[in-house]
Amino acid sequence: MGPAVVVSFLQRALNALNRGAADYADIASGTRIDDATVAALTAFLSKRAPHGEAVLMKALEALQGERYLDLAERRPANEAFLYGRLANRLG
């Protein structure tokens, strides 16, 4: 997927988990980890301890799985890889 996709997953998840910006401000979605992303991650982990990290990882895995499904839907040749990606890269 590459780092840019993973960074966007992290930023999307942090924005969706901030309880309407009550815990920390929304951050711009981009392709690199910036100071705002680090601040949001730090705030999330602090506010949602001790289980926040595990929940964030579930959100990231959900986004990863959706990405694999989307790739298979958009390009039928990728269907050959979907089962293996879901079986070996998630969980």
Side-chain angles (χ1 to χ4, degrees), residues 74-85:
R74 286 191 289 128
R75 184 171 176 258
N78 285 335
E79 287 183 9
F81 306 108
L82 181 60
Y83 184 91
R85 286 175 173 162

Side-chain angles (χ1 to χ4, degrees), residues 28-86:
S29 184
T31 59
R32 64 182 197 86
I33 295 177
D34 56 10
D35 291 340
T37 304
V38 172
L41 177 59
T42 301
F44 172 79
L45 293 174
S46 174
K47 295 216 179 253
R48 295 297 192 149
H51 303 293
E53 185 176 346
V55 171
L56 181 59
M57 288 304 299
K58 288 180 182 184
L60 295 175
E61 283 195 351
L63 289 166
Q64 184 178 358
E66 190 280 330
R67 171 80 170 181
Y68 292 142
L69 288 168
D70 181 60
L71 291 172
E73 289 171 343
R74 286 191 289 128
R75 184 171 176 258
N78 285 335
E79 287 183 9
F81 306 108
L82 181 60
Y83 184 91
R85 286 175 173 162
L86 295 174

